[in-house]
Each structure stands twice: as structure tokens, then as C-alpha cells.
Amino acid sequence: MLKESTVDIPHDCGDCPIRHRAVCARCESDELEQLDQIKYYRSFEAGQTLIWAGDKMDFVGSVVSGIATLTQTMEDGRTQMVGLLLPSDFVGRPGRDSAAYDVQAVTDIVMCCFRKKPFEDMMIRTPHIAQRLLEMTLDELDAAREWMLVLGRKTAREKIASLLAIIARRDAVLNMTKKRGPLVFDLPLTREAMADYLGLTLETVSRQISALKNDGIISLEGKRRVTVPDFNRLLEEAADDSDGGMLV
Amino acid sequence: MLKESTVDIPHDCGDCPIRHRAVCARCESDELEQLDQIKYYRSFEAGQTLIWAGDKMDFVGSVVSGIATLTQTMEDGRTQMVGLLLPSDFVGRPGRDSAAYDVQAVTDIVMCCFRKKPFEDMMIRTPHIAQRLLEMTLDELDAAREWMLVLGRKTAREKIASLLAIIARRDAVLNMTKKRGPLVFDLPLTREAMADYLGLTLETVSRQISALKNDGIISLEGKRRVTVPDFNRLLEEAADDSDGGMLV
DNA sequence: CCATGAATTTGATCTGGGTCAAGGATTGAA
DNA sequence: TTCAATCCTTGACCCAGATCAAATTCATGG
């Protein structure tokens, strides 16, 4: 199995797919040039662990493409996913030198990394970066709090429906699919990863997906491709009162 | 019952109890003066709801003294606490004009508020504020993720032990109590509020507290005063591998 | 000192989701 | 094409924690 490789085909920030959503979103061209000095790309294969909790981290970075997870593991092996990293999401924390969570590639993934020390120095000089990072962190905090409600108070069926709604929503935004008609998307996560996200067992995840299928809320093509004929019905199942706000 | 009152005894920032931990921690004296222009104090009684989710928010602010909670409520009444606000914690989000969560006073509470628009303007001019707010937000995100593990994977007993450990730890830090000997502190939350924090029912909270008492992990004086004879045993019960780091 | 009501404890019972176990489906390597 | 390794589904059973229902304790004001 291939390990990790430092890609040396340098992207030009100008046509970077996450240019306008990542931590560099607000940067002017001179600021981008400075970032360019300290950046490098790394790619990983699906299944690899990019970072182990407790590891020394000498970089921070952004997911350029692919999906990764942030997970916490207890001594006895129980694990809880605490974040799902999508393109443009930020990894690492300025001012901390060891990783707090395991980071694992769910799909093949490319990251745009910055050496930590120079990045921290630059953050002080460049308010645009700190501003954008604050905004992104506040968004993540909101997402984490939303997830606390799911974990603490929702039933297994509601949890699954909530996760499907989130993935469907994200997919609709990324792929700019037509608003009308059934949504179709692929589940990026295994049943086990979904279980770790939702605080369930993989058996319960499987059963609830089957139940939603039997009730006509979703249909499946293979194990991973999901069709949602009526998004509002899915939201009802998720007991989600913020009715699809994002989808507009 | 008294409603809310705008306290007109102006604190001097110089002897503010949260001067060095709040969003203003890094500010120089000239920056404090600017903040002083847009600040005002508000106080609330225990039990009052300071802010309702969805309300228009024309201010942000810091808890000066007392304790408040951030909670989310579903249409059918299920509620989940998503944050516990202690002195120096920040309320509100720059760049958002309505509240995302209910904020309730658990004890009598005093807040130092800033009018939102001027505060936002000042944030742009004053990197010290944005820097500190970023740091605080990253800490909150870590706390939220820690809590996701508690909600998703811990048993009822472990949840209670985790909460007690957090409160004990905070209390030890605030009151600078002696490191050795049994810890003693008051529970600021009702059984119901603890249940909302932990994703449990109040009956289960009560039962697990009784169980910890019977097992000698804690002892109670009245309903609220807790003694922890051996903090490490409590941490074991919490299945907490980050063994007491903060307590040093 | 008593009445009232909130907060808490405790008991009895029920159930959603966990656990254990057995097969299927899909993939890729040999 | 067969084998092995994952990943997923489904069934049977069980238990931690929810639910329903009383007590009991505690604080407060009259």
C-alpha cells in the first residue's frame, strides 16, 4: 500500500478549488504570495491515518479535496467522531503543538499544508487570515453544538435521518444540482463510521437505514448510493426544525 | 419577581474580575478606553431567560459573575444544553444578528455587554480582540468536542462522573483551593439541568449520584454540596484518560 | 409554625438500542 | 473461479436507561 506522498505539482492559488472558502479566502494577492512561500501539498490514500492524537504537529492546513474524519478514542476502544472534514476545512490549531484528535482519510485526500511557526507569525501580521479563521471556527462550533443535540436527544432513526440530511445538503451545495426532483448522492462513510459519528452501533445504523428504506423515505442503489424522493419528509424524520434553511 | 436591571454603577476595567481572561484580555489601556465607550452592564436573576433562540441580538458580551446555560430545544420539548457559561465566557457572535440558542441564568448573573455594531467595527481595527476571541472560540470548540464523546459514548455513571470532575476542576481553579485533601464544591445546576447537559433524564441523574455516593466516590451534604475524597477515583469513574491535566 | 410548591429520591415496569451470532454481498488478488 | 477480506444485513436476546408513579426533603412566605 502506498504511504504518503508530497505532491510536487504546485497548484496556483488562483485556480485552487477552495480558494474562496478556505482560511485564505479573504487574502489579497500579496498575502497569497506570502502563503505560497510556506505552503506544500500532501496527499493521502483512503483509510490512512494522517495524524494520531498526541502527535507533534508542525503544520496546519486545509483539505483541498476528499474527506477526512476527526475522532476521539477512549482507552477501552470506544470511539466518537467529533468532526467531518470536507474540502476547505481547516486542520490543526495555531498555538498548540500536539494533535488533539486522530485524523483519518475517508477517501483519497489532498491537503494544502503550512508550516506552523511561519503560519502563526503570518497570522499576527495578516488580520485577513485570523478573521477568516475565526469565522470558520465559529461555524464549526455551531455545527458541533447542533451535533450535541443529535447525540444527546435524538432517537436512532432521527440520528440517521439527520446525518443523511446533512450529507444531502452538502452535496446539493457542492454539486449545484437542480433544486427540484429527487436528491441523489453517495454516502462517503461506512456504516461503522456513521455509527461513530452518531453514537450508535453499526448494527443499529444498518437497521435504521433499512427501516427508512422500507418506509419509502429513501431508496438505495447498492449500499452507498442514496435517493431521497422528498427532502422535507427526510427532515421530518430528522425532527429538524431548522427546515432545510441551507438548501435555498 | 424583579425583571432585569441595567446596573449603572460602572466598573472600572482595571479592577474587573475577568479582566485577564475575557475577550478584552489582550487589550492595551487605550483599547480598553474604546471598549469602555460602548460597554454597559446588565444583571439578571437566577432563572431568567436572558435571550431566546431566534431573538434579534443587538449586543455581545461577557459573563462577569454568575453562571448561565446555552440550550437548544426541539419542537416537542426535548432540550439539550450545548454550553455552560462561566465568568469570562463570551455570549453572542459577531456577524450574526439573531441568537442561535436560549441563554438562561442559573444563578444571579452580571454581564458586560457591548453594542454589536460598534464592537464589530472595533474588532476590525483591533487585532487584539479578534485574536483573543479566536483563542476562546477554539477552546470552546475543544470543550464541545470533548462533550460529544461524553454524549455519544459514555454510560450514565461515566457522564455524571465527568460532569462532577469538570465542576470540581473549575472550582479548584477559580478558588485556588489547596491541592491536597478532599475537594468540596457546590453543584450550580439542578438535577434537571444536569440531565439536559448529559442527555439523560433527571431520574437517572439522581440515581447515579446516589450510586456514586453509596460507592464512596463522593459524599453529599444537603443536595448540592459535594465532597470528593479522591479525585483520581472520580476520574476513573469518568473513564477520563486525560488524567486531571488541568488540576496542576 | 404551617402551608405550599419546587426539587429530589426511590420504586416498578417497559423498551430502544446494544450485544452476540450467523449469513450475504462485493471486491480484488491469485 | 476461487479464495479471502471487507462491509453489510438480519435475527434473537438482553439490559441500561426511560417512563410512570409515589414519597420525601427543603425553602419560603404568610
Side-chain angles (χ1 to χ4, degrees):
Chain A
M1 186 196 289
L2 220 92
K3 287 287 289 192
E4 180 224 320
S5 68
T6 301
V7 179
D8 47 10
I9 305 145
H11 277 282
D12 175 19
C13 291
D15 46 55
C16 175
I18 58 168
R19 167 72 180 89
H20 298 289
R21 286 186 295 141
V23 72
C24 52
R26 301 249 181 97
C27 288
E28 310 290 350
S29 56
D30 59 319
E31 294 165 342
L32 281 183
E33 269 170 48
Q34 287 183 64
L35 278 177
D36 203 63
Q37 301 290 314
I38 60 171
K39 94 181 184 202
Y40 56 100
Y41 291 91
R42 297 174 77 181
S43 61
F44 303 86
E45 292 193 334
Q48 275 190 276
T49 296
L50 319 201
I51 300 160
W52 296 94
D55 274 4
K56 190 153 177 301
M57 289 264 302
D58 52 359
F59 68 95
V60 295
S62 299
V63 176
V64 176
S65 64
I67 296 180
T69 59
L70 278 177
T71 60
Q72 250 181 321
T73 303
M74 293 168 66
E75 280 154 344
D76 61 8
R78 282 176 281 177
T79 69
Q80 175 65 50
M81 199 184 298
V82 296
L84 191 57
L85 299 171
L86 305 176
S88 85
D89 282 340
F90 191 77
V91 178
R93 171 171 174 169
R96 165 183 293 162
D97 48 37
S98 66
Y101 313 102
D102 294 331
V103 183
Q104 285 168 308
V106 171
T107 64
D108 289 351
I109 194 169
V110 176
M111 294 206 42
C112 174
C113 302
F114 307 103
R115 284 179 293 125
K116 191 159 74 80
K117 186 64 174 64
F119 184 84
E120 286 168 359
D121 293 344
M122 191 168 163
M123 257 185 55
I124 294 170
R125 278 178 285 123
T126 315
H128 283 161
I129 294 178
Q131 281 165 17
R132 177 62 187 145
L133 189 55
L134 174 58
E135 194 171 51
M136 292 172 71
T137 306
L138 285 165
D139 285 342
E140 274 188 88
L141 185 57
D142 279 341
R145 285 173 167 165
E146 187 67 37
W147 213 256
M148 287 172 71
L149 177 64
V150 172
L151 288 172
R153 293 303 188 189
K154 290 196 180 181
T155 65
R157 168 182 268 240
E158 289 167 345
K159 285 179 175 182
I160 296 291
S162 298
L163 179 57
L164 292 177
I166 284 183
I167 296 174
R169 215 170 262 173
R170 169 184 66 75
D171 218 72
V173 171
L174 280 186
N175 301 341
M176 300 294 273
T177 47
K178 62 210 173 303
K179 274 93 197 178
R180 290 297 131 212
L183 296 168
V184 182
F185 58 91
D186 283 312
L187 289 173
L189 302 176
T190 64
R191 301 291 187 259
E192 188 179 24
M194 288 190 259
D196 283 344
Y197 207 150
L198 297 166
L200 297 171
T201 60
L202 66 90
E203 293 95 330
T204 297
V205 170
S206 181
R207 273 187 256 269
Q208 294 298 336
I209 288 181
S210 298
L212 289 174
K213 188 177 63 178
N214 291 336
D215 296 346
I217 312 293
I218 61 173
S219 58
L220 291 179
E221 190 180 326
K223 308 296 186 189
R224 295 293 192 91
R225 171 143 302 192
V226 178
T227 303
V228 180
D230 180 350
F231 192 66
N232 285 321
R233 266 189 84 195
L234 183 64
L235 285 182
E236 279 169 32
E237 293 296 338
D240 198 338
D241 54 345
S242 64
D243 33 81
M246 300 271 96
L247 200 60
V248 181
Chain B
M1 186 195 291
L2 220 92
K3 288 286 289 192
E4 179 223 322
S5 67
T6 300
V7 179
D8 48 10
I9 304 143
H11 277 284
D12 175 18
C13 290
D15 46 53
C16 174
I18 58 169
R19 166 74 182 89
H20 298 289
R21 287 187 297 141
V23 72
C24 53
R26 300 249 184 96
C27 288
E28 309 290 351
S29 57
D30 58 322
E31 294 166 343
L32 281 184
E33 269 170 47
Q34 288 183 63
L35 277 176
D36 203 63
Q37 300 290 314
I38 60 172
K39 96 179 184 205
Y40 55 100
Y41 291 91
R42 296 174 76 182
S43 62
F44 302 87
E45 291 194 334
Q48 274 191 279
T49 296
L50 320 200
I51 301 160
W52 296 94
D55 274 5
K56 189 153 178 302
M57 289 265 299
D58 53 358
F59 68 95
V60 296
S62 300
V63 176
V64 176
S65 66
I67 297 180
T69 61
L70 235 46
T71 59
Q72 251 181 322
T73 304
M74 293 169 66
E75 280 154 344
D76 61 8
R78 283 177 280 177
T79 69
Q80 175 66 51
M81 198 183 299
V82 296
L84 191 57
L85 300 171
L86 305 176
S88 84
D89 283 339
F90 191 77
V91 178
R93 171 172 172 168
R96 164 182 292 161
D97 48 38
S98 66
Y101 313 102
D102 293 332
V103 183
Q104 286 167 308
V106 171
T107 63
D108 289 351
I109 193 170
V110 176
M111 295 203 43
C112 172
C113 302
F114 307 103
R115 284 179 293 126
K116 191 157 74 79
K117 186 64 174 63
F119 184 84
E120 286 167 0
D121 294 344
M122 191 168 163
M123 257 185 57
I124 293 170
R125 279 178 285 125
T126 315
H128 282 163
I129 294 178
Q131 281 166 17
R132 177 63 187 144
L133 188 55
L134 174 58
E135 194 172 49
M136 292 172 71
T137 306
L138 286 165
D139 285 342
E140 272 187 273
L141 185 57
D142 279 342
R145 285 174 166 162
E146 187 66 37
W147 213 256
M148 287 172 70
L149 176 65
V150 172
L151 288 172
R153 294 303 186 191
K154 291 197 178 179
T155 64
R157 169 183 267 241
E158 289 168 345
K159 285 179 175 181
I160 296 291
S162 297
L163 179 57
L164 293 178
I166 284 183
I167 295 173
R169 214 171 262 170
R170 169 184 67 73
D171 217 71
V173 170
L174 279 187
N175 300 343
M176 301 295 273
T177 47
K178 63 213 172 299
K179 273 93 193 175
R180 290 297 131 210
L183 295 169
V184 182
F185 57 92
D186 282 313
L187 288 173
L189 302 175
T190 65
R191 300 293 186 257
E192 188 178 25
M194 288 190 258
D196 283 344
Y197 207 149
L198 297 167
L200 297 171
T201 59
L202 67 91
E203 293 95 330
T204 297
V205 170
S206 179
R207 273 188 255 268
Q208 295 297 337
I209 288 180
S210 298
L212 288 175
K213 187 178 63 179
N214 291 335
D215 295 348
I217 311 293
I218 60 173
S219 57
L220 290 180
E221 189 182 326
K223 308 295 186 189
R224 295 296 190 89
R225 170 143 301 192
V226 177
T227 303
V228 180
D230 181 349
F231 192 66
N232 285 321
R233 267 189 84 194
L234 182 64
L235 285 182
E236 278 169 33
E237 293 296 338
D240 198 338
D241 53 346
S242 64
D243 33 80
M246 298 273 98
L247 197 59
V248 179

